[in-house]
Amino acid sequence: MMSITIALSKGRIFDDTAPLLKAAGIVALDDPETSRKLILATNRDNVRLIIVRASDVPTYVQYGAADMGIAGKDVLLEHGGAGLYQPLDLNIARCRMMVAVRDDFDYESAVGRGARVRVATKYFQTAREHFAEKGMHVDLIKLYGSMELAPLVGLADAIVDLVSSGNTLKANHLKAVEEIRPISARLVINQAALKLKREIIQPMLDAFSAAIPQ
Ligand code: PRT
Ligand code: MG
């Protein structure tokens, strides 16, 4: 029997994807928040979910270990998208990728006088492209999380991070000074799987696409 493996991360991606899966007639038999299982069976014999780190979703799909996956555009930009077909913006897990600095840091004038700004981020590739397009010379520092801390302890002048409510910035006396791009989660499909398994994948694509929140 032809079967489909879908890669996604727990937390906000799983939570926002569950209604879309449901619209396609797919319901997980375990809750990834409480179960320690990494492979979740669904109500459909030929569909299973695998729970991976958000930033690993494109890798599983690229190599065909998963036929499709759900990943944030932030993650896809860092991955580069090789071997991935990205047919749908699911309009879920939305936020904005922003440049942020300490409340008391004058970003405008630092940029204006051509100062070399130190920027800490997990989104290294996207940040590099953004500042290059602006013609700004920056020193990029790679971090893997908790970017908000970097300007507070003098590791960096600025960070590039995702912002949704803005509460994390506020709680750490930071302010957003520049939007790089809006972010949402995308459906990604392995290009070979799409050809070989079109008869299962296409109806799912149609159901997802009809259920995307406005
Ligand atoms: O934690 P892990 O290293 O496994 O990966 P991850 O943190 O990327 O995973 P997860 O599950 O937190 O996020 C998955 C995807 O959700 C991301 O790739 C984004 O596409 C999307 N998303 C949407 C967000 C946010 N909103 C978001 N607010 N991802 C992270 N955040 C973080 C942000 O980095 C910051 O620390 O939330 C904080 C800011 O939130 P506010 O509400 O305080 O502004
Ligand atoms: Mg996280």
Side-chain angles (χ1 to χ4, degrees), residues 12 53-54 72 74-75 93 95 122 148 161-162 164-168:
R12 66 186 107 221
R53 265 314 263 278
D74 51 317
V75 164
C95 57
K122 176 175 165 184
E148 294 89 357
D161 196 4
L162 303 178
S164 37
S165 68
N167 290 338
T168 307

Side-chain angles (χ1 to χ4, degrees), residues 6-10 12-14 16-17 20 50 52-62 68-81 84-95 123 162 181 183-189:
I6 305 174
L8 74 181
S9 52
K10 59 184 183 182
R12 66 186 107 221
I13 296 280
F14 183 86
D16 285 10
T17 301
L20 295 174
I50 60 174
V52 306
R53 265 314 263 278
S55 46
D56 290 335
V57 166
T59 307
Y60 279 85
V61 178
Q62 172 187 6
M68 57 170 102
I70 293 101
K73 189 67 186 174
D74 51 317
V75 164
L76 293 168
L77 288 167
E78 291 301 303
H79 171 268
L84 303 178
Y85 174 55
Q86 295 183 37
L88 284 182
D89 180 346
L90 299 173
N91 204 27
I92 56 171
R94 291 175 57 191
C95 57
Y123 307 104
L162 303 178
R181 55 170 301 145
I183 298 290
S184 55
R186 312 297 164 107
L187 184 69
V188 293
I189 307 182

Side-chain angles (χ1 to χ4, degrees), residues 181-201:
R181 55 170 301 145
I183 298 290
S184 55
R186 312 297 164 107
L187 184 69
V188 293
I189 307 182
N190 175 279
Q191 282 170 353
L194 181 61
K195 290 198 194 95
L196 293 168
K197 302 183 178 181
R198 185 123 219 171
E199 59 195 277
I200 310 186
I201 292 177

Side-chain angles (χ1 to χ4, degrees), residues 99 105 107 110-111 114-121 123-141 156-160 178 180:
V99 181
F105 185 81
Y107 182 71
V111 173
R116 213 175 167 93
V117 176
R118 287 222 294 187
V119 183
T121 188
Y123 307 104
F124 206 89
Q125 304 302 338
T126 316
R128 185 164 62 192
E129 242 174 72
H130 171 74
F131 293 112
E133 269 169 29
K134 289 192 61 172
M136 260 176 82
H137 293 285
V138 297
D139 290 319
L140 285 177
I141 299 173
D157 306 307
I159 59 172
V160 168
E178 210 160 80
I180 298 182

